[in-house]
């Protein structure tokens, strides 16, 4: 039986039937003895028709039905408090027994719904703007949305409210991702290609806090996402029902707020530097749309740039002629940035290691020059820094990385392979599965974490200590007889966050298969303890850089020879918690060689003598290094001259 049929039967009841079960003093005792004469038998009264109009229809979803039912009960409670009759049957349950409590719950829920909508409308995507003043503004999107909901019919209003609320929740989720990415990577979240990085983040968490802790964080993240999509939808739906019940009052309030927004915008009124008249949501939506368009355009532009390489047709016989016969080692030190050598808290220890290392290498017959490079990434995504340095292209996002590694653009490492004069190998302790990019980089063989023979414990994210990686390189490649010199790319990972626990330097004859590190790892600090205080994090970061530098200098001392050429650099700055807000993206770079002619070829670079670049040392973009290096140690780009 439909709602309409059920209500049409009401006038057919007899007076006795309608009143015989009602207790004395009930509202039905005050009804007139007869229905008004102008209401025909079987017709529907205005109150009954209103009940039909406001009853949930067959197409109402459970969420909408529950929200409407609650709104009707609240309306009845409000009407009872105001001494008016809603025409509905007396409420039952706890709301009827405790009307004051019901009103308090209804008002509190409505206030929370309004606050949630306001927060989602005004939430900034910049952590520096998370201040109370940001949430004391008037959002124009809320005013426009309220006006639209007042104009829509009931069914359309509900659908629009749910969609608008879910949209606000999605925007809030993206704002939170922006804040998180800004804290770690120094940039916002890219909605086109950054989703894959969430999986990398989960892997890092598992290495840092264990599987159980990571599962807990993942569950909390899923619940947060669901809450952000559902709760704002329910909040907007609740507010729209309230506005529908109090249409005149809602329209007046909307008009007043709209007028206040226009006046505040015209006069430039501000609260603590934040404009009262806000349109941040629409601006953020527009910025995201523009970002997607720019990303798609960037893909096409970069593909053309990557395909155009001045060294593409340069024959191997003309490449790297100034390094023939040398064992060249390119080494990336994880998170080794300008902050490590210039921050007042961390620099004293790191600078002391660099100064001592310069003296130790000089005593062994080596010289060094150092400068600065501006990395394409910050706080993470090390592979972007590696590929930028080696390819001579600015690779600051994942799409660019995929584009360049799918092609045949010449890298520093593949240039060595093109000559045919070197054996090219990679030591990649951070690679734990197949790595097809090895072919792009021109490496004859890649030793990943599974091939280095390590039997010791992981040090948080780092699969093995840097000293072990260098010892494995010596055992597997450098220390073996070979008919060609080596060009090696080595990634050192001990300075990867969370910088606890940390390994320590031991005698090279003690390294063995790495099992000696079990006791060292157990005696180390726990990441959770370190990350409770910023100063502790920064201190442990500085210690990790000291360890990596000591390991590298010690390796050259012990295993280097007159043909050794070492190029080492940082891949990016550490996260903002360590490097500070608005830190540069500069990283140190140094070239160490036993043969004086190697450094003589770069004498016009203006680099600082020693391992520690001075404040006035030149700063280049990281993508500029490839061409400068190939030019210094070979001929200018282009095909061989015709005879």
């Amino acid at each position: 039986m439909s709602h309409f049929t059920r209500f049409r039967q009401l006038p057919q009841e007899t007076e006795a039937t309608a009143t015989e079960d009602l207790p004395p003093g009930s509202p039905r005792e005050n009804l007139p003895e007869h229905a008004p004469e102008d209401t025909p038998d079987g017709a529907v009264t205005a109150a009954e028709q209103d009940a039909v109009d406001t009853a949930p229809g067959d197409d109402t979803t459970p969420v909408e039905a529950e929200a409407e039912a609650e709104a009707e009960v609240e309306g009845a409670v409000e009407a009872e408090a105001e001494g008016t009759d809603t025409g509905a049957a007396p409420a039952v349950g706890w709301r009827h027994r405790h009307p004051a409590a019901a009103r308090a719950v209804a008002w509190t829920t409505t206030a929370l719904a309004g606050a949630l909508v306001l927060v989602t409308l005004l939430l900034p995507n910049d952590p520096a703007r998370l201040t109370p003043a940001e949430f004391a503004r008037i959002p124009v999107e809320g005013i426009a949305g309220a006006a639209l909901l007042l104009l829509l019919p009931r069914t359309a209003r509900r659908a629009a409210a749910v969609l608008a609320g879910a949209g606000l929740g999605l925007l809030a989720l993206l704002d939170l991702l922006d804040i998180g990415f800004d804290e770690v990577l120094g940039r916002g979240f890219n909605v086109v290609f950054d989703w894959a990085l969430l999986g990398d983040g989960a892997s890092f968490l598992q290495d840092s806090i264990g599987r159980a802790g990571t599962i807990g964080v993942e569950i909390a993240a899923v619940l947060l996402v669901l809450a952000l999509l559902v709760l704002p939808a329910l909040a907007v739906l609740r507010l729209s029902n309230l506005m529908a019940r109090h249409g005149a009052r809602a329209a007046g309030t909307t008009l007043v707020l709209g007028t206040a927004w226009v006046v505040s915008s015209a006069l430039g009124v501000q609260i603590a530097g934040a404009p009262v008249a806000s349109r941040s949501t629409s601006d953020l939506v527009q910025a995201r749309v523009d970002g997607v368009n720019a990303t798609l355009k960037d893909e096409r532009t970069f593909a053309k740039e990557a395909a155009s390489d001045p060294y593409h047709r340069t024959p191997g016989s003309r490449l790297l002629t100034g390094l023939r016969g040398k064992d060249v080692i390119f080494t990336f030190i994880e998170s080794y940035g300008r902050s490590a050598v210039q921050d007042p808290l961390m620099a004293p220890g790191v600078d002391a290691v660099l100064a001592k290392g310069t003296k130790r290498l000089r005593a062994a017959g080596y010289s060094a020059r150092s400068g600065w490079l501006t990395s394409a990434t910050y706080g993470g995504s090390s592979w972007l820094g590696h590929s930028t340095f080696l390819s001579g292209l600015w690779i600051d996002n994942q799409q660019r990385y995929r584009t360049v590694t799918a092609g045949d653009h010449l890298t520093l490492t593949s240039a060595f392979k093109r000559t045919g004069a070197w054996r090219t190998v990679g030591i990649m302790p951070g690679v734990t599965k197949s790595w097809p990019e090895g072919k792009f980089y021109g490496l004859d063989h890649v030793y990943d974490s599974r091939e280095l023979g390590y039997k010791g414990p992981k040090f948080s994210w780092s699969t093995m200590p840097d000293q072990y990686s260098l010892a494995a390189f010596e055992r597997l490649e450098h220390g073996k007889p070979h008919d060609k010199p080596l060009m090696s790319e080595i990634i050192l990972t001990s300075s990867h966050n969370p910088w606890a626990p940390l390994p320590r330097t031991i005698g090279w004859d003690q390294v063995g298969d790495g099992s000696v590190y079990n006791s060292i790892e157990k005696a180390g600090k726990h990441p959770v303890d370190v990350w409770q205080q910023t100063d502790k994090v920064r201190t442990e970061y500085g210690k990790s850089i000291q360890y990596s530098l000591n390991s590298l200098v010690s390796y050259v001392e012990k295993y280097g020879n007159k043909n050794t050429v070492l190029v080492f650099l940082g891949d990016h700055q550490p996260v903002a918690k360590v490097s500070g807000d608005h830190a540069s993206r500069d990283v140190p770079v140094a070239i160490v060689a036993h043969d004086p002619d190697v450094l003589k070829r770069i004498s016009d670079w203006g680099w600082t003598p020693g391992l520690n670049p001075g404040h006035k040392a030149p700063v280049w973009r990281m993508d500029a290094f490839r061409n400068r290096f190939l030019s210094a140690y070979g001929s200018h780009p282009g095909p061989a001259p015709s005879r």
Side-chain angles (χ1 to χ4, degrees):
M1 181 181 295
S2 68
H3 298 293
F4 181 73
T5 305
R6 186 162 65 247
F7 281 107
R8 281 185 59 86
Q9 292 177 342
L10 289 174
Q12 298 175 3
E13 297 177 348
T14 63
E15 182 178 350
T17 303
T19 60
E20 62 183 1
D21 295 328
L22 295 177
S26 66
R28 291 296 295 272
E29 286 189 341
N30 299 324
L31 293 175
E33 294 182 0
H34 302 285
E37 294 181 0
D38 58 346
T39 303
D41 183 35
V44 181
T45 66
E48 292 160 359
Q49 183 61 50
D50 183 64
V52 174
D53 294 339
T54 58
D58 294 337
D59 59 343
T60 304
T61 65
V63 172
E64 293 173 345
E66 181 181 355
E68 183 176 354
E70 185 177 351
E72 290 172 352
V73 171
E74 291 169 9
V77 171
E78 292 172 2
E80 180 181 349
E82 297 169 0
T84 60
D85 185 9
T86 63
V92 294
W94 75 273
R95 290 183 177 86
H96 179 60
R97 295 192 300 270
H98 307 286
R103 284 194 298 274
V105 170
W107 293 341
T108 301
T109 306
T110 300
L112 290 175
L116 178 59
V117 172
L118 186 65
V119 168
T120 54
L121 282 169
L122 296 174
L123 181 67
N125 65 343
D126 181 0
R129 291 170 49 204
L130 285 173
T131 61
E134 284 291 325
F135 300 97
R137 303 187 295 154
I138 306 173
V140 68
E141 301 85 1
I143 298 171
L148 177 62
L149 291 174
L150 285 171
L151 295 174
L152 291 175
R154 175 172 166 272
T155 302
R157 170 174 56 80
R158 285 177 167 179
V162 171
L163 290 175
L168 286 177
L170 178 60
L171 290 176
L173 174 62
L174 294 177
D175 289 340
L176 293 177
L177 287 172
D178 276 341
I179 292 172
F181 269 61
D182 186 77
E183 286 291 315
V184 177
L185 301 179
R187 62 172 178 83
F189 179 79
N190 189 299
V191 297
V192 177
F193 47 69
D194 276 348
W195 299 102
L197 297 182
L198 299 181
D200 294 333
S203 299
F204 168 71
L205 276 179
Q206 184 166 331
D207 294 328
S208 302
I209 62 178
R211 180 171 177 78
T214 301
I215 292 175
V217 172
E218 290 175 343
I219 291 175
V222 170
L223 293 177
L224 175 62
V225 171
L226 291 176
L228 285 174
L229 295 178
V230 174
L231 293 182
L234 292 177
V236 176
L237 182 61
R238 182 183 185 87
L239 295 176
S240 70
N241 288 335
L242 181 65
M243 290 190 300
R245 291 203 307 272
H246 305 282
R249 195 181 308 173
T253 302
T254 303
L255 180 61
V256 170
L257 290 175
T259 303
W261 189 94
V262 171
V263 172
S264 299
S265 178
L267 298 179
V269 180
Q270 295 185 345
I271 297 179
V276 171
S278 167
R279 56 181 184 184
S280 56
T281 300
S282 55
D283 287 344
L284 286 175
V285 171
Q286 184 62 51
R288 295 197 188 281
V289 172
D290 293 342
V292 171
N293 291 333
T295 298
L296 298 177
K297 182 179 179 181
D298 179 71
E299 287 186 44
R300 298 187 293 269
T301 302
F302 181 73
K304 295 179 180 179
E305 181 182 349
S308 176
D309 183 0
Y311 280 97
H312 181 69
R313 298 179 59 192
T314 303
S317 59
R318 297 176 58 198
L319 291 171
L320 302 164
T321 54
L323 292 174
R324 298 298 169 98
K326 307 297 185 185
D327 287 329
V328 182
I329 305 172
F330 292 100
T331 302
F332 292 94
I333 298 179
E334 172 65 37
S335 300
Y336 177 39
R338 182 185 281 267
S339 300
V341 296
Q342 292 188 351
D343 181 86
L345 178 63
M346 300 172 293
V350 174
D351 289 350
V353 170
L354 291 171
K356 187 176 180 180
T358 299
K359 293 180 180 179
R360 290 164 59 186
L361 291 174
R362 187 180 297 122
Y366 294 90
S367 299
R369 296 290 185 274
S370 55
W372 300 104
L373 298 176
T374 301
S375 178
T377 185
Y378 170 93
S381 300
S382 301
W383 57 92
L384 302 182
H386 301 168
S387 55
T388 296
F389 177 80
L390 295 173
S391 71
L393 296 169
W394 189 253
I395 304 175
D396 60 349
N397 61 58
Q398 191 66 14
Q399 185 57 47
R400 285 189 165 213
Y401 178 77
R402 291 170 181 164
T403 298
V404 71
T405 55
D408 60 353
H409 191 87
L410 186 72
T411 64
L412 281 178
T413 46
S414 62
F416 280 87
K417 183 176 179 63
R418 180 182 290 184
T419 66
W422 279 272
R423 170 171 167 78
T424 58
V425 299
I427 305 296
M428 309 287 177
V431 176
T432 58
K433 52 187 177 182
S434 61
W435 190 57
E437 290 92 332
K439 182 179 179 181
F440 164 74
Y441 286 114
L443 300 175
D444 293 323
H445 189 83
V446 173
Y447 294 91
D448 63 24
S449 61
R450 300 166 296 180
E451 296 185 64
L452 293 173
Y454 183 63
K455 304 299 182 183
K458 292 179 65 176
F459 283 78
S460 191
W461 184 89
S462 181
T463 57
M464 62 194 70
D466 291 345
Q467 190 178 6
Y468 180 88
S469 297
L470 293 167
F473 168 61
E474 182 65 23
R475 170 171 47 85
L476 295 170
E477 287 286 348
H478 187 259
K480 287 184 175 182
H482 40 270
D483 56 354
K484 292 181 180 180
L486 285 174
M487 189 293 304
S488 311
E489 179 186 355
I490 302 177
I491 311 298
L492 300 182
T493 62
S494 290
S495 51
H496 194 289
N497 65 358
W499 307 299
L502 293 176
R504 58 179 175 81
T505 304
I506 59 178
W508 289 98
D509 58 348
Q510 295 178 283
V511 173
D513 64 359
S515 56
V516 67
Y517 291 104
N518 282 303
S519 59
I520 298 175
E521 189 272 339
K522 290 180 180 178
K525 299 178 181 179
H526 195 277
V528 175
D529 297 332
V530 169
W531 280 73
Q532 289 178 350
Q533 296 182 18
T534 300
D535 284 351
K536 285 185 178 180
V537 178
R538 300 172 72 209
T539 298
E540 296 306 307
Y541 161 76
K543 291 180 180 178
S544 74
I545 296 297
Q546 294 175 46
Y547 168 78
S548 296
L549 290 170
N550 266 321
S551 298
L552 192 56
V553 169
S554 178
Y555 174 82
V556 175
E557 273 186 311
K558 184 171 181 62
Y559 298 111
N561 55 55
K562 64 180 181 179
N563 288 320
T564 297
V565 176
L566 171 66
V567 181
F568 74 92
L569 68 154
D571 48 17
H572 55 72
Q573 282 264 55
V575 295
K577 191 176 183 70
V578 173
S579 59
D581 296 330
H582 312 297
S584 75
R585 295 192 174 198
D586 297 344
V587 299
V589 58
I591 297 181
V592 179
H594 196 283
D595 184 352
D597 184 61
V598 173
L599 296 182
K600 184 179 180 181
R601 285 176 173 266
I602 64 168
S603 58
D604 60 340
W605 285 8
W607 282 18
T608 304
L611 299 178
N612 193 345
H615 289 267
K616 296 183 179 180
V619 181
W620 306 337
R621 283 203 346 172
M622 190 176 277
D623 56 338
F625 185 85
R626 188 203 72 158
N627 286 4
R628 288 177 178 268
F629 189 87
L630 291 176
S631 177
Y633 295 105
S635 65
H636 292 290
S642 59
R643 294 182 179 180

